[in-house]
Amino acid sequence: AGDYGTTDLFGPSLKIRGVAGDQQAALVGQSCFEAGEVKSTYGTGGFLVLNTGVELKRSKSRLLGTIAYQVGGKRTYALEGSILSAGSTIQWLRDELKIIRDGAHAGELAKSIADTAGVFLVPAFVGLGAPHWDSNARGAILGLQRGSTIAHIARAALESAAFQTAELLEAMAKDGVAPQRLRVDGGMARNDWFLQFMAGILGIEIVRPRNTETTALGAAILAAVGAGEFASLEEAGSIWKLDRKFEPNMTSDDRSARMAGWKQAVGRVLTGGAHG
């Protein structure tokens, strides 16, 4: 937040009072202003960003230390983990395989079965991001049986985003931070089934705001603080409103078994070669 001059690109002269990258803006839009608060945005990819306060953490788990935001010369830092394919996995089912109509249809198919019957979809279409960083890995559908259906594949696709999120939280825990609540946003955050499954896999509370377009909201909040409309980010954070919470409903044994299956599937696509 600050004075970045003016622009005439949009007609009348407009003051520019905030500048942010998309994930930093989403962190602000989610009102994650306390150290330890974390949000995850699910668009084409998935991006988990954890507020680490005034400390720039040097991750030992292959996460990225970054600047979260800066106001009044005071800088706040974050840890970030990147999932390369989240919503794009659902788009692939719709546009290339043509087996679903849209994300809502994927959710309906997922709800129609008790589990994936051992099917895992590893969406390494462009490699795997954090914490693996294997640019040579490629996607795979594993565990197919004669009875496997479109519903099993659709559910495995949705589950893959939750499993990848769990890997990022495990990496953060190894770096000494274990959040007990995750704020989510982006297109996939509108899918109730996905968020409930993820709450079970993560074993923590999932929180969805009324406004899931938090990147735009965060950019607006930074500009509003920079323009003096709010005295602080914390004051502007009152704009954030709760839509729904999702509580874990999975046993620890079930969670461990599912994660073990996922990690075995990921191990099948890792190349051990060049990392991006």
Side-chain angles (χ1 to χ4, degrees), residues 185-204:
D185 54 86
M188 288 184 72
R190 303 187 190 104
N191 187 317
D192 288 356
W193 182 89
F194 167 63
L195 296 186
Q196 185 58 66
F197 177 81
M198 187 160 65
I201 283 294
L202 302 184
I204 62 174

Side-chain angles (χ1 to χ4, degrees), residues 42 158-159 161-163 165-166 169 179-182 184 191-207 244-252 255:
Y42 297 95
L158 285 170
E159 288 186 359
F163 288 132
T165 301
L169 283 175
Q180 296 304 304
R181 180 176 67 173
L182 175 65
V184 296
N191 187 317
D192 288 356
W193 182 89
F194 167 63
L195 296 186
Q196 185 58 66
F197 177 81
M198 187 160 65
I201 283 294
L202 302 184
I204 62 174
E205 181 182 74
I206 303 294
V207 179
R244 182 173 172 183
K245 296 180 180 180
F246 298 83
E247 301 293 342
N249 62 350
M250 191 180 295
T251 66
S252 58
R255 182 183 307 124

Side-chain angles (χ1 to χ4, degrees), residues 10 17 38 72 75 102 104 111-112 122 124 142 150 235 248:
F10 306 101
R17 293 295 181 264
V38 61
R75 186 171 296 175
D102 50 32
K111 287 191 294 186
S112 71
V122 184
L142 302 161
I150 288 173
E235 180 183 328

Side-chain angles (χ1 to χ4, degrees), residues 85 88-90 92-93 121-128 137-140:
S85 297
S88 62
T89 308
I90 308 305
W92 177 70
L93 296 183
L121 192 160
V122 184
F125 302 112
V126 291
L128 288 173
R138 288 297 176 262

